[in-house]
PDB file of all heavy atoms in Angstrom:
ATOM      1  N   PHE A1214    -116.463  16.564 241.873  1.00  0.00           N
ATOM      2  CA  PHE A1214    -116.858  15.294 241.248  1.00  0.00           C
ATOM      3  C   PHE A1214    -117.378  15.521 239.827  1.00  0.00           C
ATOM      4  O   PHE A1214    -117.067  14.752 238.909  1.00  0.00           O
ATOM      5  CB  PHE A1214    -117.927  14.601 242.097  1.00  0.00           C
ATOM      6  CG  PHE A1214    -117.363  13.793 243.226  1.00  0.00           C
ATOM      7  CD1 PHE A1214    -117.242  14.337 244.501  1.00  0.00           C
ATOM      8  CD2 PHE A1214    -116.931  12.490 243.026  1.00  0.00           C
ATOM      9  CE1 PHE A1214    -116.718  13.594 245.545  1.00  0.00           C
ATOM     10  CE2 PHE A1214    -116.408  11.737 244.074  1.00  0.00           C
ATOM     11  CZ  PHE A1214    -116.294  12.292 245.331  1.00  0.00           C
ATOM     12  N   PHE A1215    -118.173  16.581 239.645  1.00  0.00           N
ATOM     13  CA  PHE A1215    -118.744  16.855 238.330  1.00  0.00           C
ATOM     14  C   PHE A1215    -117.653  17.173 237.308  1.00  0.00           C
ATOM     15  O   PHE A1215    -117.612  16.595 236.218  1.00  0.00           O
ATOM     16  CB  PHE A1215    -119.729  18.024 238.430  1.00  0.00           C
ATOM     17  CG  PHE A1215    -120.173  18.569 237.096  1.00  0.00           C
ATOM     18  CD1 PHE A1215    -121.087  17.877 236.319  1.00  0.00           C
ATOM     19  CD2 PHE A1215    -119.672  19.773 236.629  1.00  0.00           C
ATOM     20  CE1 PHE A1215    -121.487  18.379 235.088  1.00  0.00           C
ATOM     21  CE2 PHE A1215    -120.073  20.284 235.403  1.00  0.00           C
ATOM     22  CZ  PHE A1215    -120.987  19.586 234.632  1.00  0.00           C
ATOM     23  N   TYR A1216    -116.740  18.090 237.678  1.00  0.00           N
ATOM     24  CA  TYR A1216    -115.720  18.512 236.714  1.00  0.00           C
ATOM     25  C   TYR A1216    -114.711  17.398 236.459  1.00  0.00           C
ATOM     26  O   TYR A1216    -114.200  17.255 235.344  1.00  0.00           O
ATOM     27  CB  TYR A1216    -114.999  19.768 237.223  1.00  0.00           C
ATOM     28  CG  TYR A1216    -114.337  20.550 236.108  1.00  0.00           C
ATOM     29  CD1 TYR A1216    -115.079  21.409 235.309  1.00  0.00           C
ATOM     30  CD2 TYR A1216    -112.981  20.404 235.845  1.00  0.00           C
ATOM     31  CE1 TYR A1216    -114.478  22.122 234.279  1.00  0.00           C
ATOM     32  CE2 TYR A1216    -112.375  21.106 234.816  1.00  0.00           C
ATOM     33  CZ  TYR A1216    -113.131  21.965 234.034  1.00  0.00           C
ATOM     34  OH  TYR A1216    -112.538  22.649 233.008  1.00  0.00           O
ATOM     35  N   THR A1217    -114.415  16.592 237.473  1.00  0.00           N
ATOM     36  CA  THR A1217    -113.524  15.444 237.257  1.00  0.00           C
ATOM     37  C   THR A1217    -114.166  14.446 236.305  1.00  0.00           C
ATOM     38  O   THR A1217    -113.485  13.864 235.443  1.00  0.00           O
ATOM     39  CB  THR A1217    -113.211  14.760 238.599  1.00  0.00           C
ATOM     40  OG1 THR A1217    -112.587  15.705 239.481  1.00  0.00           O
ATOM     41  CG2 THR A1217    -112.275  13.578 238.395  1.00  0.00           C
ATOM     42  N   ALA A1218    -115.481  14.262 236.428  1.00  0.00           N
ATOM     43  CA  ALA A1218    -116.183  13.308 235.568  1.00  0.00           C
ATOM     44  C   ALA A1218    -116.164  13.731 234.111  1.00  0.00           C
ATOM     45  O   ALA A1218    -116.079  12.880 233.206  1.00  0.00           O
ATOM     46  CB  ALA A1218    -117.628  13.142 236.047  1.00  0.00           C
ATOM     47  N   ILE A1219    -116.220  15.048 233.843  1.00  0.00           N
ATOM     48  CA  ILE A1219    -116.243  15.493 232.446  1.00  0.00           C
ATOM     49  C   ILE A1219    -114.845  15.716 231.886  1.00  0.00           C
ATOM     50  O   ILE A1219    -114.680  15.813 230.663  1.00  0.00           O
ATOM     51  CB  ILE A1219    -117.068  16.787 232.293  1.00  0.00           C
ATOM     52  CG1 ILE A1219    -116.395  17.958 233.024  1.00  0.00           C
ATOM     53  CG2 ILE A1219    -118.482  16.593 232.767  1.00  0.00           C
ATOM     54  CD1 ILE A1219    -117.083  19.292 232.802  1.00  0.00           C
ATOM     55  N   SER A1220    -113.834  15.802 232.741  1.00  0.00           N
ATOM     56  CA  SER A1220    -112.473  16.043 232.254  1.00  0.00           C
ATOM     57  C   SER A1220    -111.636  14.775 232.169  1.00  0.00           C
ATOM     58  O   SER A1220    -110.666  14.725 231.408  1.00  0.00           O
ATOM     59  CB  SER A1220    -111.756  17.066 233.150  1.00  0.00           C
ATOM     60  OG  SER A1220    -111.691  16.618 234.490  1.00  0.00           O
ATOM     61  N   VAL A1221    -111.986  13.734 232.943  1.00  0.00           N
ATOM     62  CA  VAL A1221    -111.252  12.463 232.905  1.00  0.00           C
ATOM     63  C   VAL A1221    -112.233  11.374 232.491  1.00  0.00           C
ATOM     64  O   VAL A1221    -113.196  11.094 233.213  1.00  0.00           O
ATOM     65  CB  VAL A1221    -110.628  12.128 234.282  1.00  0.00           C
ATOM     66  CG1 VAL A1221    -109.842  10.826 234.181  1.00  0.00           C
ATOM     67  CG2 VAL A1221    -109.728  13.257 234.754  1.00  0.00           C
ATOM     68  N   ASN A1222    -111.985  10.772 231.335  1.00  0.00           N
ATOM     69  CA  ASN A1222    -112.887   9.766 230.776  1.00  0.00           C
ATOM     70  C   ASN A1222    -112.251   8.380 230.885  1.00  0.00           C
ATOM     71  O   ASN A1222    -111.375   8.036 230.085  1.00  0.00           O
ATOM     72  CB  ASN A1222    -113.199  10.088 229.320  1.00  0.00           C
ATOM     73  CG  ASN A1222    -114.296   9.208 228.748  1.00  0.00           C
ATOM     74  OD1 ASN A1222    -114.655   8.179 229.323  1.00  0.00           O
ATOM     75  ND2 ASN A1222    -114.848   9.608 227.616  1.00  0.00           N
ATOM     76  N   PRO A1223    -112.652   7.551 231.867  1.00  0.00           N
ATOM     77  CA  PRO A1223    -112.055   6.218 232.003  1.00  0.00           C
ATOM     78  C   PRO A1223    -112.249   5.338 230.774  1.00  0.00           C
ATOM     79  O   PRO A1223    -111.370   4.539 230.437  1.00  0.00           O
ATOM     80  CB  PRO A1223    -112.780   5.641 233.226  1.00  0.00           C
ATOM     81  CG  PRO A1223    -113.258   6.827 233.991  1.00  0.00           C
ATOM     82  CD  PRO A1223    -113.596   7.846 232.954  1.00  0.00           C
ATOM     83  N   ASN A1224    -113.388   5.463 230.088  1.00  0.00           N
ATOM     84  CA  ASN A1224    -113.633   4.650 228.896  1.00  0.00           C
ATOM     85  C   ASN A1224    -112.625   4.958 227.790  1.00  0.00           C
ATOM     86  O   ASN A1224    -112.087   4.049 227.145  1.00  0.00           O
ATOM     87  CB  ASN A1224    -115.058   4.881 228.376  1.00  0.00           C
ATOM     88  CG  ASN A1224    -116.106   4.369 229.334  1.00  0.00           C
ATOM     89  OD1 ASN A1224    -115.893   3.384 230.032  1.00  0.00           O
ATOM     90  ND2 ASN A1224    -117.253   5.034 229.385  1.00  0.00           N
ATOM     91  N   GLN A1225    -112.361   6.257 227.586  1.00  0.00           N
ATOM     92  CA  GLN A1225    -111.403   6.632 226.557  1.00  0.00           C
ATOM     93  C   GLN A1225    -109.991   6.198 226.934  1.00  0.00           C
ATOM     94  O   GLN A1225    -109.227   5.736 226.079  1.00  0.00           O
ATOM     95  CB  GLN A1225    -111.448   8.148 226.347  1.00  0.00           C
ATOM     96  CG  GLN A1225    -110.518   8.633 225.233  1.00  0.00           C
ATOM     97  CD  GLN A1225    -110.629  10.130 225.001  1.00  0.00           C
ATOM     98  OE1 GLN A1225    -111.455  10.798 225.625  1.00  0.00           O
ATOM     99  NE2 GLN A1225    -109.810  10.652 224.132  1.00  0.00           N
ATOM    100  N   ILE A1226    -109.638   6.310 228.213  1.00  0.00           N
ATOM    101  CA  ILE A1226    -108.314   5.871 228.662  1.00  0.00           C
ATOM    102  C   ILE A1226    -108.154   4.367 228.435  1.00  0.00           C
ATOM    103  O   ILE A1226    -107.113   3.895 227.948  1.00  0.00           O
ATOM    104  CB  ILE A1226    -108.106   6.226 230.142  1.00  0.00           C
ATOM    105  CG1 ILE A1226    -108.095   7.743 230.338  1.00  0.00           C
ATOM    106  CG2 ILE A1226    -106.793   5.626 230.665  1.00  0.00           C
ATOM    107  CD1 ILE A1226    -108.032   8.173 231.791  1.00  0.00           C
ATOM    108  N   ALA A1227    -109.198   3.601 228.785  1.00  0.00           N
ATOM    109  CA  ALA A1227    -109.138   2.145 228.605  1.00  0.00           C
ATOM    110  C   ALA A1227    -109.024   1.778 227.126  1.00  0.00           C
ATOM    111  O   ALA A1227    -108.262   0.864 226.752  1.00  0.00           O
ATOM    112  CB  ALA A1227    -110.369   1.499 229.225  1.00  0.00           C
ATOM    113  N   ASP A1228    -109.765   2.473 226.255  1.00  0.00           N
ATOM    114  CA  ASP A1228    -109.692   2.193 224.815  1.00  0.00           C
ATOM    115  C   ASP A1228    -108.314   2.528 224.257  1.00  0.00           C
ATOM    116  O   ASP A1228    -107.764   1.769 223.435  1.00  0.00           O
ATOM    117  CB  ASP A1228    -110.760   2.992 224.076  1.00  0.00           C
ATOM    118  CG  ASP A1228    -112.173   2.508 224.382  1.00  0.00           C
ATOM    119  OD1 ASP A1228    -112.298   1.353 224.853  1.00  0.00           O
ATOM    120  OD2 ASP A1228    -113.130   3.279 224.166  1.00  0.00           O
ATOM    121  N   ASP A1229    -107.736   3.650 224.676  1.00  0.00           N
ATOM    122  CA  ASP A1229    -106.399   4.025 224.203  1.00  0.00           C
ATOM    123  C   ASP A1229    -105.356   2.997 224.650  1.00  0.00           C
ATOM    124  O   ASP A1229    -104.446   2.642 223.884  1.00  0.00           O
ATOM    125  CB  ASP A1229    -106.032   5.412 224.721  1.00  0.00           C
ATOM    126  CG  ASP A1229    -106.893   6.505 224.106  1.00  0.00           C
ATOM    127  OD1 ASP A1229    -107.497   6.255 223.049  1.00  0.00           O
ATOM    128  OD2 ASP A1229    -106.968   7.607 224.695  1.00  0.00           O
ATOM    129  N   MET A1230    -105.476   2.537 225.889  1.00  0.00           N
ATOM    130  CA  MET A1230    -104.543   1.519 226.380  1.00  0.00           C
ATOM    131  C   MET A1230    -104.672   0.226 225.588  1.00  0.00           C
ATOM    132  O   MET A1230    -103.666  -0.417 225.235  1.00  0.00           O
ATOM    133  CB  MET A1230    -104.804   1.252 227.870  1.00  0.00           C
ATOM    134  CG  MET A1230    -104.378   2.369 228.800  1.00  0.00           C
ATOM    135  SD  MET A1230    -104.914   2.083 230.506  1.00  0.00           S
ATOM    136  CE  MET A1230    -104.309   0.434 230.787  1.00  0.00           C
ATOM    137  N   LYS A1231    -105.899  -0.175 225.280  1.00  0.00           N
ATOM    138  CA  LYS A1231    -106.121  -1.425 224.548  1.00  0.00           C
ATOM    139  C   LYS A1231    -105.550  -1.344 223.139  1.00  0.00           C
ATOM    140  O   LYS A1231    -104.939  -2.317 222.645  1.00  0.00           O
ATOM    141  CB  LYS A1231    -107.624  -1.715 224.499  1.00  0.00           C
ATOM    142  CG  LYS A1231    -107.971  -3.078 223.933  1.00  0.00           C
ATOM    143  CD  LYS A1231    -109.472  -3.336 224.035  1.00  0.00           C
ATOM    144  CE  LYS A1231    -109.823  -4.718 223.488  1.00  0.00           C
ATOM    145  NZ  LYS A1231    -111.286  -4.977 223.599  1.00  0.00           N
ATOM    146  N   ARG A1232    -105.727  -0.194 222.487  1.00  0.00           N
ATOM    147  CA  ARG A1232    -105.199  -0.040 221.130  1.00  0.00           C
ATOM    148  C   ARG A1232    -103.676  -0.048 221.095  1.00  0.00           C
ATOM    149  O   ARG A1232    -103.066  -0.486 220.117  1.00  0.00           O
ATOM    150  CB  ARG A1232    -105.730   1.256 220.510  1.00  0.00           C
ATOM    151  CG  ARG A1232    -107.169   1.159 220.020  1.00  0.00           C
ATOM    152  CD  ARG A1232    -107.503   2.327 219.108  1.00  0.00           C
ATOM    153  NE  ARG A1232    -107.441   3.586 219.827  1.00  0.00           N
ATOM    154  CZ  ARG A1232    -108.491   4.159 220.393  1.00  0.00           C
ATOM    155  NH1 ARG A1232    -109.675   3.569 220.336  1.00  0.00           N
ATOM    156  NH2 ARG A1232    -108.372   5.309 221.009  1.00  0.00           N
ATOM    157  N   SER A1233    -103.052   0.459 222.142  1.00  0.00           N
ATOM    158  CA  SER A1233    -101.585   0.526 222.174  1.00  0.00           C
ATOM    159  C   SER A1233    -100.957  -0.715 222.799  1.00  0.00           C
ATOM    160  O   SER A1233     -99.744  -0.753 223.005  1.00  0.00           O
ATOM    161  CB  SER A1233    -101.137   1.770 222.936  1.00  0.00           C
ATOM    162  OG  SER A1233    -101.651   1.766 224.261  1.00  0.00           O
ATOM    163  N   GLY A1234    -101.772  -1.706 223.136  1.00  0.00           N
ATOM    164  CA  GLY A1234    -101.228  -2.948 223.679  1.00  0.00           C
ATOM    165  C   GLY A1234    -100.898  -2.883 225.161  1.00  0.00           C
ATOM    166  O   GLY A1234    -100.120  -3.703 225.649  1.00  0.00           O
ATOM    167  N   GLY A1235    -101.495  -1.957 225.873  1.00  0.00           N
ATOM    168  CA  GLY A1235    -101.229  -1.827 227.297  1.00  0.00           C
ATOM    169  C   GLY A1235    -102.356  -2.397 228.133  1.00  0.00           C
ATOM    170  O   GLY A1235    -103.517  -2.444 227.703  1.00  0.00           O
ATOM    171  N   PHE A1236    -102.034  -2.816 229.346  1.00  0.00           N
ATOM    172  CA  PHE A1236    -103.041  -3.339 230.255  1.00  0.00           C
ATOM    173  C   PHE A1236    -102.557  -3.158 231.686  1.00  0.00           C
ATOM    174  O   PHE A1236    -101.353  -3.041 231.952  1.00  0.00           O
ATOM    175  CB  PHE A1236    -103.315  -4.832 229.981  1.00  0.00           C
ATOM    176  CG  PHE A1236    -102.115  -5.720 230.176  1.00  0.00           C
ATOM    177  CD1 PHE A1236    -101.882  -6.342 231.393  1.00  0.00           C
ATOM    178  CD2 PHE A1236    -101.201  -5.916 229.150  1.00  0.00           C
ATOM    179  CE1 PHE A1236    -100.768  -7.156 231.592  1.00  0.00           C
ATOM    180  CE2 PHE A1236    -100.086  -6.725 229.333  1.00  0.00           C
ATOM    181  CZ  PHE A1236     -99.873  -7.341 230.551  1.00  0.00           C
ATOM    182  N   ILE A1237    -103.511  -3.131 232.596  1.00  0.00           N
ATOM    183  CA  ILE A1237    -103.204  -3.044 234.019  1.00  0.00           C
ATOM    184  C   ILE A1237    -103.047  -4.461 234.549  1.00  0.00           C
ATOM    185  O   ILE A1237    -103.951  -5.283 234.366  1.00  0.00           O
ATOM    186  CB  ILE A1237    -104.319  -2.300 234.773  1.00  0.00           C
ATOM    187  CG1 ILE A1237    -104.464  -0.873 234.238  1.00  0.00           C
ATOM    188  CG2 ILE A1237    -104.031  -2.273 236.274  1.00  0.00           C
ATOM    189  CD1 ILE A1237    -105.631  -0.118 234.827  1.00  0.00           C
ATOM    190  N   PRO A1238    -101.918  -4.794 235.165  1.00  0.00           N
ATOM    191  CA  PRO A1238    -101.712  -6.158 235.666  1.00  0.00           C
ATOM    192  C   PRO A1238    -102.851  -6.603 236.582  1.00  0.00           C
ATOM    193  O   PRO A1238    -103.218  -5.909 237.533  1.00  0.00           O
ATOM    194  CB  PRO A1238    -100.384  -6.062 236.431  1.00  0.00           C
ATOM    195  CG  PRO A1238     -99.665  -4.923 235.791  1.00  0.00           C
ATOM    196  CD  PRO A1238    -100.743  -3.946 235.397  1.00  0.00           C
ATOM    197  N   GLY A1239    -103.429  -7.766 236.274  1.00  0.00           N
ATOM    198  CA  GLY A1239    -104.511  -8.308 237.076  1.00  0.00           C
ATOM    199  C   GLY A1239    -105.883  -7.817 236.698  1.00  0.00           C
ATOM    200  O   GLY A1239    -106.876  -8.214 237.321  1.00  0.00           O
ATOM    201  N   VAL A1240    -105.994  -6.944 235.691  1.00  0.00           N
ATOM    202  CA  VAL A1240    -107.278  -6.392 235.259  1.00  0.00           C
ATOM    203  C   VAL A1240    -107.447  -6.655 233.765  1.00  0.00           C
ATOM    204  O   VAL A1240    -106.532  -6.380 232.980  1.00  0.00           O
ATOM    205  CB  VAL A1240    -107.371  -4.876 235.544  1.00  0.00           C
ATOM    206  CG1 VAL A1240    -108.726  -4.331 235.110  1.00  0.00           C
ATOM    207  CG2 VAL A1240    -107.132  -4.589 237.013  1.00  0.00           C
ATOM    208  N   LYS A1241    -108.589  -7.176 233.369  1.00  0.00           N
ATOM    209  CA  LYS A1241    -108.844  -7.449 231.965  1.00  0.00           C
ATOM    210  C   LYS A1241    -108.967  -6.156 231.173  1.00  0.00           C
ATOM    211  O   LYS A1241    -109.546  -5.175 231.652  1.00  0.00           O
ATOM    212  CB  LYS A1241    -110.122  -8.271 231.813  1.00  0.00           C
ATOM    213  CG  LYS A1241    -110.027  -9.688 232.364  1.00  0.00           C
ATOM    214  CD  LYS A1241    -111.325 -10.438 232.116  1.00  0.00           C
ATOM    215  CE  LYS A1241    -111.226 -11.880 232.652  1.00  0.00           C
ATOM    216  NZ  LYS A1241    -112.485 -12.633 232.410  1.00  0.00           N
ATOM    217  N   PRO A1242    -108.435  -6.121 229.943  1.00  0.00           N
ATOM    218  CA  PRO A1242    -108.571  -4.911 229.110  1.00  0.00           C
ATOM    219  C   PRO A1242    -110.030  -4.641 228.770  1.00  0.00           C
ATOM    220  O   PRO A1242    -110.883  -5.524 228.828  1.00  0.00           O
ATOM    221  CB  PRO A1242    -107.754  -5.255 227.859  1.00  0.00           C
ATOM    222  CG  PRO A1242    -106.857  -6.380 228.261  1.00  0.00           C
ATOM    223  CD  PRO A1242    -107.610  -7.156 229.307  1.00  0.00           C
ATOM    224  N   GLY A1243    -110.311  -3.392 228.412  1.00  0.00           N
ATOM    225  CA  GLY A1243    -111.657  -3.024 227.994  1.00  0.00           C
ATOM    226  C   GLY A1243    -112.511  -2.521 229.137  1.00  0.00           C
ATOM    227  O   GLY A1243    -112.106  -1.637 229.908  1.00  0.00           O
ATOM    228  N   PHE A1244    -113.710  -3.125 229.280  1.00  0.00           N
ATOM    229  CA  PHE A1244    -114.683  -2.640 230.254  1.00  0.00           C
ATOM    230  C   PHE A1244    -114.171  -2.751 231.686  1.00  0.00           C
ATOM    231  O   PHE A1244    -114.359  -1.832 232.492  1.00  0.00           O
ATOM    232  CB  PHE A1244    -115.993  -3.437 230.111  1.00  0.00           C
ATOM    233  CG  PHE A1244    -117.032  -3.061 231.125  1.00  0.00           C
ATOM    234  CD1 PHE A1244    -117.739  -1.883 231.021  1.00  0.00           C
ATOM    235  CD2 PHE A1244    -117.273  -3.897 232.220  1.00  0.00           C
ATOM    236  CE1 PHE A1244    -118.694  -1.537 231.975  1.00  0.00           C
ATOM    237  CE2 PHE A1244    -118.229  -3.556 233.173  1.00  0.00           C
ATOM    238  CZ  PHE A1244    -118.932  -2.368 233.047  1.00  0.00           C
ATOM    239  N   MET A1245    -113.505  -3.861 232.023  1.00  0.00           N
ATOM    240  CA  MET A1245    -113.003  -4.044 233.379  1.00  0.00           C
ATOM    241  C   MET A1245    -111.934  -2.996 233.722  1.00  0.00           C
ATOM    242  O   MET A1245    -111.878  -2.501 234.849  1.00  0.00           O
ATOM    243  CB  MET A1245    -112.445  -5.449 233.551  1.00  0.00           C
ATOM    244  CG  MET A1245    -113.468  -6.559 233.403  1.00  0.00           C
ATOM    245  SD  MET A1245    -114.806  -6.407 234.623  1.00  0.00           S
ATOM    246  CE  MET A1245    -113.900  -6.664 236.138  1.00  0.00           C
ATOM    247  N   THR A1246    -111.105  -2.663 232.743  1.00  0.00           N
ATOM    248  CA  THR A1246    -110.099  -1.616 232.958  1.00  0.00           C
ATOM    249  C   THR A1246    -110.770  -0.269 233.208  1.00  0.00           C
ATOM    250  O   THR A1246    -110.368   0.492 234.098  1.00  0.00           O
ATOM    251  CB  THR A1246    -109.161  -1.521 231.750  1.00  0.00           C
ATOM    252  OG1 THR A1246    -108.457  -2.754 231.599  1.00  0.00           O
ATOM    253  CG2 THR A1246    -108.162  -0.397 231.923  1.00  0.00           C
ATOM    254  N   SER A1247    -111.798   0.032 232.415  1.00  0.00           N
ATOM    255  CA  SER A1247    -112.528   1.283 232.609  1.00  0.00           C
ATOM    256  C   SER A1247    -113.169   1.336 233.998  1.00  0.00           C
ATOM    257  O   SER A1247    -113.114   2.377 234.674  1.00  0.00           O
ATOM    258  CB  SER A1247    -113.600   1.424 231.525  1.00  0.00           C
ATOM    259  OG  SER A1247    -114.402   2.559 231.754  1.00  0.00           O
ATOM    260  N   GLU A1248    -113.749   0.213 234.438  1.00  0.00           N
ATOM    261  CA  GLU A1248    -114.360   0.166 235.764  1.00  0.00           C
ATOM    262  C   GLU A1248    -113.322   0.359 236.862  1.00  0.00           C
ATOM    263  O   GLU A1248    -113.550   1.082 237.836  1.00  0.00           O
ATOM    264  CB  GLU A1248    -115.060  -1.187 235.959  1.00  0.00           C
ATOM    265  CG  GLU A1248    -116.378  -1.315 235.219  1.00  0.00           C
ATOM    266  CD  GLU A1248    -117.470  -0.484 235.874  1.00  0.00           C
ATOM    267  OE1 GLU A1248    -117.679  -0.626 237.088  1.00  0.00           O
ATOM    268  OE2 GLU A1248    -118.076   0.346 235.158  1.00  0.00           O
ATOM    269  N   TYR A1249    -112.174  -0.253 236.688  1.00  0.00           N
ATOM    270  CA  TYR A1249    -111.111  -0.146 237.698  1.00  0.00           C
ATOM    271  C   TYR A1249    -110.609   1.295 237.806  1.00  0.00           C
ATOM    272  O   TYR A1249    -110.449   1.827 238.911  1.00  0.00           O
ATOM    273  CB  TYR A1249    -109.961  -1.087 237.335  1.00  0.00           C
ATOM    274  CG  TYR A1249    -108.802  -1.022 238.287  1.00  0.00           C
ATOM    275  CD1 TYR A1249    -108.824  -1.691 239.507  1.00  0.00           C
ATOM    276  CD2 TYR A1249    -107.657  -0.279 237.976  1.00  0.00           C
ATOM    277  CE1 TYR A1249    -107.758  -1.626 240.385  1.00  0.00           C
ATOM    278  CE2 TYR A1249    -106.589  -0.212 238.845  1.00  0.00           C
ATOM    279  CZ  TYR A1249    -106.639  -0.886 240.051  1.00  0.00           C
ATOM    280  OH  TYR A1249    -105.573  -0.814 240.914  1.00  0.00           O
ATOM    281  N   ILE A1250    -110.379   1.927 236.654  1.00  0.00           N
ATOM    282  CA  ILE A1250    -109.909   3.317 236.669  1.00  0.00           C
ATOM    283  C   ILE A1250    -110.961   4.224 237.293  1.00  0.00           C
ATOM    284  O   ILE A1250    -110.643   5.136 238.075  1.00  0.00           O
ATOM    285  CB  ILE A1250    -109.559   3.782 235.240  1.00  0.00           C
ATOM    286  CG1 ILE A1250    -108.368   2.988 234.699  1.00  0.00           C
ATOM    287  CG2 ILE A1250    -109.241   5.273 235.220  1.00  0.00           C
ATOM    288  CD1 ILE A1250    -108.036   3.289 233.255  1.00  0.00           C
ATOM    289  N   GLY A1251    -112.240   3.980 236.975  1.00  0.00           N
ATOM    290  CA  GLY A1251    -113.313   4.774 237.565  1.00  0.00           C
ATOM    291  C   GLY A1251    -113.382   4.629 239.073  1.00  0.00           C
ATOM    292  O   GLY A1251    -113.600   5.610 239.792  1.00  0.00           O
ATOM    293  N   GLN A1252    -113.187   3.403 239.586  1.00  0.00           N
ATOM    294  CA  GLN A1252    -113.206   3.181 241.029  1.00  0.00           C
ATOM    295  C   GLN A1252    -112.052   3.901 241.719  1.00  0.00           C
ATOM    296  O   GLN A1252    -112.236   4.542 242.763  1.00  0.00           O
ATOM    297  CB  GLN A1252    -113.145   1.684 241.322  1.00  0.00           C
ATOM    298  CG  GLN A1252    -114.400   0.920 240.924  1.00  0.00           C
ATOM    299  CD  GLN A1252    -114.255  -0.575 241.132  1.00  0.00           C
ATOM    300  OE1 GLN A1252    -113.226  -1.049 241.613  1.00  0.00           O
ATOM    301  NE2 GLN A1252    -115.287  -1.329 240.767  1.00  0.00           N
TER     302      GLN A1252
END
């Protein structure tokens, strides 16, 4: 859990997706996307 937390950053993934115009169907871009990926 510790090493996964420091190697995979949901916030950065969500920000990169938002900048490139991508989104997860049914999930709002930004904070909600980061929360969904983290879950």
